[in-house]
PDB file of all heavy atoms in Angstrom:
ATOM      1  N   ARG A   1      28.846  27.320  12.463  1.00 98.00           N
ATOM      2  CA  ARG A   1      29.285  26.007  12.938  1.00 98.00           C
ATOM      3  C   ARG A   1      28.958  25.830  14.387  1.00 98.00           C
ATOM      4  O   ARG A   1      28.924  26.772  15.116  1.00 98.00           O
ATOM      5  CB  ARG A   1      30.778  25.842  12.699  1.00 98.00           C
ATOM      6  CG  ARG A   1      31.249  25.872  11.275  1.00 98.00           C
ATOM      7  CD  ARG A   1      32.719  25.746  11.121  1.00 98.00           C
ATOM      8  NE  ARG A   1      33.126  25.456   9.768  1.00 98.00           N
ATOM      9  CZ  ARG A   1      34.357  25.529   9.356  1.00 98.00           C
ATOM     10  NH1 ARG A   1      35.309  25.797  10.211  1.00 98.00           N
ATOM     11  NH2 ARG A   1      34.641  25.288   8.086  1.00 98.00           N
ATOM     12  N   THR A   2      28.808  24.519  14.716  1.00 98.00           N
ATOM     13  CA  THR A   2      28.617  24.157  16.161  1.00 98.00           C
ATOM     14  C   THR A   2      29.411  22.959  16.473  1.00 98.00           C
ATOM     15  O   THR A   2      29.766  22.130  15.611  1.00 98.00           O
ATOM     16  CB  THR A   2      27.130  23.993  16.449  1.00 98.00           C
ATOM     17  OG1 THR A   2      26.968  23.962  17.881  1.00 98.00           O
ATOM     18  CG2 THR A   2      26.538  22.677  15.901  1.00 98.00           C
ATOM     19  N   PHE A   3      29.737  22.837  17.754  1.00 98.00           N
ATOM     20  CA  PHE A   3      30.435  21.682  18.319  1.00 98.00           C
ATOM     21  C   PHE A   3      29.396  20.741  18.965  1.00 98.00           C
ATOM     22  O   PHE A   3      28.609  21.155  19.738  1.00 98.00           O
ATOM     23  CB  PHE A   3      31.457  22.152  19.325  1.00 98.00           C
ATOM     24  CG  PHE A   3      32.156  20.987  20.063  1.00 98.00           C
ATOM     25  CD1 PHE A   3      33.108  20.214  19.352  1.00 98.00           C
ATOM     26  CD2 PHE A   3      31.882  20.617  21.413  1.00 98.00           C
ATOM     27  CE1 PHE A   3      33.736  19.205  20.015  1.00 98.00           C
ATOM     28  CE2 PHE A   3      32.453  19.575  22.007  1.00 98.00           C
ATOM     29  CZ  PHE A   3      33.459  18.874  21.301  1.00 98.00           C
ATOM     30  N   ILE A   4      29.541  19.529  18.565  1.00 98.00           N
ATOM     31  CA  ILE A   4      28.660  18.454  19.086  1.00 98.00           C
ATOM     32  C   ILE A   4      29.559  17.304  19.609  1.00 98.00           C
ATOM     33  O   ILE A   4      30.510  16.908  18.867  1.00 98.00           O
ATOM     34  CB  ILE A   4      27.687  17.911  18.052  1.00 98.00           C
ATOM     35  CG1 ILE A   4      26.768  18.981  17.528  1.00 98.00           C
ATOM     36  CG2 ILE A   4      26.894  16.704  18.573  1.00 98.00           C
ATOM     37  CD1 ILE A   4      25.796  19.598  18.451  1.00 98.00           C
ATOM     38  N   MET A   5      29.216  16.774  20.725  1.00 98.00           N
ATOM     39  CA  MET A   5      30.075  15.649  21.305  1.00 98.00           C
ATOM     40  C   MET A   5      29.116  14.544  21.793  1.00 98.00           C
ATOM     41  O   MET A   5      28.226  14.796  22.606  1.00 98.00           O
ATOM     42  CB  MET A   5      30.917  16.047  22.434  1.00 98.00           C
ATOM     43  CG  MET A   5      31.725  14.916  23.068  1.00 98.00           C
ATOM     44  SD  MET A   5      32.760  15.398  24.458  1.00 98.00           S
ATOM     45  CE  MET A   5      31.854  16.538  25.399  1.00 98.00           C
ATOM     46  N   ILE A   6      29.309  13.366  21.247  1.00 98.00           N
ATOM     47  CA  ILE A   6      28.565  12.187  21.817  1.00 98.00           C
ATOM     48  C   ILE A   6      29.367  11.770  22.952  1.00 98.00           C
ATOM     49  O   ILE A   6      30.612  11.406  22.949  1.00 98.00           O
ATOM     50  CB  ILE A   6      28.470  11.133  20.745  1.00 98.00           C
ATOM     51  CG1 ILE A   6      27.748  11.692  19.548  1.00 98.00           C
ATOM     52  CG2 ILE A   6      27.687   9.892  21.361  1.00 98.00           C
ATOM     53  CD1 ILE A   6      27.753  10.651  18.364  1.00 98.00           C
ATOM     54  N   LYS A   7      28.732  11.799  24.109  1.00 98.00           N
ATOM     55  CA  LYS A   7      29.492  11.506  25.366  1.00 98.00           C
ATOM     56  C   LYS A   7      29.640  10.006  25.607  1.00 98.00           C
ATOM     57  O   LYS A   7      29.178   9.160  24.829  1.00 98.00           O
ATOM     58  CB  LYS A   7      28.660  12.064  26.530  1.00 98.00           C
ATOM     59  CG  LYS A   7      28.478  13.611  26.554  1.00 98.00           C
ATOM     60  CD  LYS A   7      27.577  13.945  27.683  1.00 98.00           C
ATOM     61  CE  LYS A   7      27.251  15.517  27.771  1.00 98.00           C
ATOM     62  NZ  LYS A   7      26.435  15.889  28.834  1.00 98.00           N
ATOM     63  N   PRO A   8      30.407   9.593  26.588  1.00 98.00           N
ATOM     64  CA  PRO A   8      30.705   8.178  26.784  1.00 98.00           C
ATOM     65  C   PRO A   8      29.451   7.253  26.875  1.00 98.00           C
ATOM     66  O   PRO A   8      29.529   6.155  26.394  1.00 98.00           O
ATOM     67  CB  PRO A   8      31.479   8.136  28.153  1.00 98.00           C
ATOM     68  CG  PRO A   8      32.188   9.503  28.198  1.00 98.00           C
ATOM     69  CD  PRO A   8      31.173  10.456  27.535  1.00 98.00           C
ATOM     70  N   ASP A   9      28.360   7.762  27.437  1.00 98.00           N
ATOM     71  CA  ASP A   9      27.109   6.908  27.486  1.00 98.00           C
ATOM     72  C   ASP A   9      26.555   6.657  26.165  1.00 98.00           C
ATOM     73  O   ASP A   9      26.170   5.559  25.833  1.00 98.00           O
ATOM     74  CB  ASP A   9      26.065   7.547  28.416  1.00 98.00           C
ATOM     75  CG  ASP A   9      25.810   8.985  28.195  1.00 98.00           C
ATOM     76  OD1 ASP A   9      26.656   9.759  27.750  1.00 98.00           O
ATOM     77  OD2 ASP A   9      24.618   9.413  28.392  1.00 98.00           O
ATOM     78  N   GLY A  10      26.679   7.602  25.196  1.00 98.00           N
ATOM     79  CA  GLY A  10      26.133   7.393  23.862  1.00 98.00           C
ATOM     80  C   GLY A  10      27.066   6.425  23.113  1.00 98.00           C
ATOM     81  O   GLY A  10      26.537   5.701  22.361  1.00 98.00           O
ATOM     82  N   VAL A  11      28.360   6.568  23.287  1.00 98.00           N
ATOM     83  CA  VAL A  11      29.263   5.665  22.656  1.00 98.00           C
ATOM     84  C   VAL A  11      29.069   4.229  23.110  1.00 98.00           C
ATOM     85  O   VAL A  11      28.949   3.283  22.417  1.00 98.00           O
ATOM     86  CB  VAL A  11      30.799   6.152  22.905  1.00 98.00           C
ATOM     87  CG1 VAL A  11      31.793   5.094  22.374  1.00 98.00           C
ATOM     88  CG2 VAL A  11      31.017   7.454  22.181  1.00 98.00           C
ATOM     89  N   GLN A  12      29.026   4.073  24.484  1.00 98.00           N
ATOM     90  CA  GLN A  12      28.919   2.833  25.051  1.00 98.00           C
ATOM     91  C   GLN A  12      27.593   2.070  24.677  1.00 98.00           C
ATOM     92  O   GLN A  12      27.515   0.862  24.563  1.00 98.00           O
ATOM     93  CB  GLN A  12      29.016   2.845  26.606  1.00 98.00           C
ATOM     94  CG  GLN A  12      30.424   3.119  27.112  1.00 98.00           C
ATOM     95  CD  GLN A  12      31.357   1.999  26.876  1.00 98.00           C
ATOM     96  OE1 GLN A  12      30.996   0.832  26.756  1.00 98.00           O
ATOM     97  NE2 GLN A  12      32.630   2.342  26.886  1.00 98.00           N
ATOM     98  N   ARG A  13      26.531   2.871  24.514  1.00 98.00           N
ATOM     99  CA  ARG A  13      25.172   2.340  24.104  1.00 98.00           C
ATOM    100  C   ARG A  13      25.020   2.140  22.643  1.00 98.00           C
ATOM    101  O   ARG A  13      23.998   1.676  22.176  1.00 98.00           O
ATOM    102  CB  ARG A  13      24.106   3.270  24.658  1.00 98.00           C
ATOM    103  CG  ARG A  13      24.055   3.298  26.162  1.00 98.00           C
ATOM    104  CD  ARG A  13      23.076   4.277  26.739  1.00 98.00           C
ATOM    105  NE  ARG A  13      21.683   3.934  26.143  1.00 98.00           N
ATOM    106  CZ  ARG A  13      20.697   4.801  26.002  1.00 98.00           C
ATOM    107  NH1 ARG A  13      20.906   6.139  26.432  1.00 98.00           N
ATOM    108  NH2 ARG A  13      19.568   4.500  25.582  1.00 98.00           N
ATOM    109  N   GLY A  14      26.046   2.497  21.868  1.00 98.00           N
ATOM    110  CA  GLY A  14      25.971   2.225  20.457  1.00 98.00           C
ATOM    111  C   GLY A  14      25.089   3.160  19.679  1.00 98.00           C
ATOM    112  O   GLY A  14      24.458   2.750  18.685  1.00 98.00           O
ATOM    113  N   LEU A  15      25.001   4.450  20.085  1.00 98.00           N
ATOM    114  CA  LEU A  15      24.097   5.398  19.514  1.00 98.00           C
ATOM    115  C   LEU A  15      24.770   6.401  18.583  1.00 98.00           C
ATOM    116  O   LEU A  15      24.156   7.408  18.132  1.00 98.00           O
ATOM    117  CB  LEU A  15      23.345   6.215  20.605  1.00 98.00           C
ATOM    118  CG  LEU A  15      22.473   5.247  21.517  1.00 98.00           C
ATOM    119  CD1 LEU A  15      21.941   6.104  22.663  1.00 98.00           C
ATOM    120  CD2 LEU A  15      21.335   4.676  20.735  1.00 98.00           C
ATOM    121  N   ILE A  16      26.029   6.158  18.220  1.00 98.00           N
ATOM    122  CA  ILE A  16      26.760   7.150  17.354  1.00 98.00           C
ATOM    123  C   ILE A  16      25.974   7.307  16.040  1.00 98.00           C
ATOM    124  O   ILE A  16      25.804   8.429  15.667  1.00 98.00           O
ATOM    125  CB  ILE A  16      28.208   6.594  17.153  1.00 98.00           C
ATOM    126  CG1 ILE A  16      28.998   6.565  18.455  1.00 98.00           C
ATOM    127  CG2 ILE A  16      28.930   7.493  16.056  1.00 98.00           C
ATOM    128  CD1 ILE A  16      30.337   5.863  18.329  1.00 98.00           C
ATOM    129  N   GLY A  17      25.683   6.243  15.409  1.00 98.00           N
ATOM    130  CA  GLY A  17      24.946   6.331  14.149  1.00 98.00           C
ATOM    131  C   GLY A  17      23.632   7.137  14.178  1.00 98.00           C
ATOM    132  O   GLY A  17      23.252   7.875  13.344  1.00 98.00           O
ATOM    133  N   ASP A  18      22.897   6.830  15.308  1.00 98.00           N
ATOM    134  CA  ASP A  18      21.556   7.479  15.464  1.00 98.00           C
ATOM    135  C   ASP A  18      21.761   9.024  15.619  1.00 98.00           C
ATOM    136  O   ASP A  18      20.970   9.765  15.043  1.00 98.00           O
ATOM    137  CB  ASP A  18      20.874   7.002  16.705  1.00 98.00           C
ATOM    138  CG  ASP A  18      20.462   5.479  16.598  1.00 98.00           C
ATOM    139  OD1 ASP A  18      19.612   5.328  15.755  1.00 98.00           O
ATOM    140  OD2 ASP A  18      21.033   4.688  17.336  1.00 98.00           O
ATOM    141  N   VAL A  19      22.782   9.447  16.374  1.00 98.00           N
ATOM    142  CA  VAL A  19      23.069  10.826  16.525  1.00 98.00           C
ATOM    143  C   VAL A  19      23.385  11.506  15.187  1.00 98.00           C
ATOM    144  O   VAL A  19      22.946  12.528  14.776  1.00 98.00           O
ATOM    145  CB  VAL A  19      24.100  11.080  17.650  1.00 98.00           C
ATOM    146  CG1 VAL A  19      24.562  12.555  17.660  1.00 98.00           C
ATOM    147  CG2 VAL A  19      23.630  10.609  18.947  1.00 98.00           C
ATOM    148  N   ILE A  20      24.362  10.900  14.496  1.00 98.00           N
ATOM    149  CA  ILE A  20      24.846  11.468  13.226  1.00 98.00           C
ATOM    150  C   ILE A  20      23.734  11.493  12.232  1.00 98.00           C
ATOM    151  O   ILE A  20      23.491  12.537  11.550  1.00 98.00           O
ATOM    152  CB  ILE A  20      26.040  10.642  12.691  1.00 98.00           C
ATOM    153  CG1 ILE A  20      27.261  10.867  13.546  1.00 98.00           C
ATOM    154  CG2 ILE A  20      26.350  11.074  11.273  1.00 98.00           C
ATOM    155  CD1 ILE A  20      28.391   9.894  13.224  1.00 98.00           C
ATOM    156  N   LYS A  21      22.916  10.488  12.209  1.00 98.00           N
ATOM    157  CA  LYS A  21      21.757  10.450  11.280  1.00 98.00           C
ATOM    158  C   LYS A  21      20.819  11.697  11.509  1.00 98.00           C
ATOM    159  O   LYS A  21      20.306  12.257  10.517  1.00 98.00           O
ATOM    160  CB  LYS A  21      20.971   9.169  11.374  1.00 98.00           C
ATOM    161  CG  LYS A  21      19.759   9.045  10.431  1.00 98.00           C
ATOM    162  CD  LYS A  21      19.737   7.731   9.791  1.00 98.00           C
ATOM    163  CE  LYS A  21      18.580   7.639   8.808  1.00 98.00           C
ATOM    164  NZ  LYS A  21      19.019   8.114   7.450  1.00 98.00           N
ATOM    165  N   ARG A  22      20.543  12.029  12.746  1.00 98.00           N
ATOM    166  CA  ARG A  22      19.611  13.168  13.008  1.00 98.00           C
ATOM    167  C   ARG A  22      20.163  14.426  12.400  1.00 98.00           C
ATOM    168  O   ARG A  22      19.424  15.216  11.838  1.00 98.00           O
ATOM    169  CB  ARG A  22      19.441  13.414  14.546  1.00 98.00           C
ATOM    170  CG  ARG A  22      18.800  12.205  15.254  1.00 98.00           C
ATOM    171  CD  ARG A  22      17.306  12.272  15.238  1.00 98.00           C
ATOM    172  NE  ARG A  22      16.753  11.142  15.940  1.00 98.00           N
ATOM    173  CZ  ARG A  22      16.057  11.246  17.057  1.00 98.00           C
ATOM    174  NH1 ARG A  22      15.842  12.415  17.619  1.00 98.00           N
ATOM    175  NH2 ARG A  22      15.614  10.135  17.704  1.00 98.00           N
ATOM    176  N   PHE A  23      21.515  14.713  12.511  1.00 98.00           N
ATOM    177  CA  PHE A  23      22.036  15.877  11.950  1.00 98.00           C
ATOM    178  C   PHE A  23      22.058  15.867  10.440  1.00 98.00           C
ATOM    179  O   PHE A  23      21.864  16.867   9.762  1.00 98.00           O
ATOM    180  CB  PHE A  23      23.411  16.203  12.631  1.00 98.00           C
ATOM    181  CG  PHE A  23      23.250  16.628  14.022  1.00 98.00           C
ATOM    182  CD1 PHE A  23      23.307  15.721  15.063  1.00 98.00           C
ATOM    183  CD2 PHE A  23      23.101  17.995  14.308  1.00 98.00           C
ATOM    184  CE1 PHE A  23      23.213  16.123  16.360  1.00 98.00           C
ATOM    185  CE2 PHE A  23      22.989  18.396  15.633  1.00 98.00           C
ATOM    186  CZ  PHE A  23      23.054  17.518  16.664  1.00 98.00           C
ATOM    187  N   GLU A  24      22.421  14.716   9.879  1.00 97.00           N
ATOM    188  CA  GLU A  24      22.503  14.558   8.411  1.00 97.00           C
ATOM    189  C   GLU A  24      21.171  14.723   7.815  1.00 97.00           C
ATOM    190  O   GLU A  24      20.921  15.364   6.843  1.00 97.00           O
ATOM    191  CB  GLU A  24      23.050  13.206   8.032  1.00 97.00           C
ATOM    192  CG  GLU A  24      24.583  13.113   8.165  1.00 97.00           C
ATOM    193  CD  GLU A  24      25.106  11.799   7.766  1.00 97.00           C
ATOM    194  OE1 GLU A  24      24.492  10.656   7.891  1.00 97.00           O
ATOM    195  OE2 GLU A  24      26.239  11.752   7.180  1.00 97.00           O
ATOM    196  N   THR A  25      20.108  14.076   8.480  1.00 96.00           N
ATOM    197  CA  THR A  25      18.772  14.109   7.918  1.00 96.00           C
ATOM    198  C   THR A  25      18.176  15.551   7.953  1.00 96.00           C
ATOM    199  O   THR A  25      17.503  15.921   7.064  1.00 96.00           O
ATOM    200  CB  THR A  25      17.813  13.169   8.781  1.00 96.00           C
ATOM    201  OG1 THR A  25      18.319  11.862   8.722  1.00 96.00           O
ATOM    202  CG2 THR A  25      16.391  13.226   8.267  1.00 96.00           C
ATOM    203  N   LYS A  26      18.598  16.284   9.000  1.00 96.00           N
ATOM    204  CA  LYS A  26      18.175  17.716   9.036  1.00 96.00           C
ATOM    205  C   LYS A  26      18.718  18.537   7.929  1.00 96.00           C
ATOM    206  O   LYS A  26      18.113  19.492   7.509  1.00 96.00           O
ATOM    207  CB  LYS A  26      18.581  18.296  10.421  1.00 96.00           C
ATOM    208  CG  LYS A  26      18.207  19.684  10.604  1.00 96.00           C
ATOM    209  CD  LYS A  26      16.788  19.883  10.850  1.00 96.00           C
ATOM    210  CE  LYS A  26      16.388  21.321  11.193  1.00 96.00           C
ATOM    211  NZ  LYS A  26      14.983  21.533  11.433  1.00 96.00           N
ATOM    212  N   GLY A  27      19.914  18.101   7.420  1.00 96.00           N
ATOM    213  CA  GLY A  27      20.510  18.841   6.335  1.00 96.00           C
ATOM    214  C   GLY A  27      21.809  19.579   6.668  1.00 96.00           C
ATOM    215  O   GLY A  27      22.306  20.365   5.883  1.00 96.00           O
TER     216      GLY A  27
END
């Protein structure tokens, strides 16, 4: 397991979905 945190700049820029998608797509 690993810990991943989307920081305030990622949240404010609306990139939450983009980040999650990268990890889901990887498997």
Side-chain angles (χ1 to χ4, degrees):
R1 291 179 172 170
T2 194
F3 175 73
I4 301 293
M5 175 180 41
I6 303 171
K7 296 177 183 179
D9 51 325
V11 171
Q12 290 290 339
R13 293 177 56 204
L15 296 173
I16 296 168
D18 292 296
V19 171
I20 292 171
K21 179 134 182 91
R22 298 276 180 111
F23 288 92
E24 285 183 324
T25 301
K26 180 71 174 179

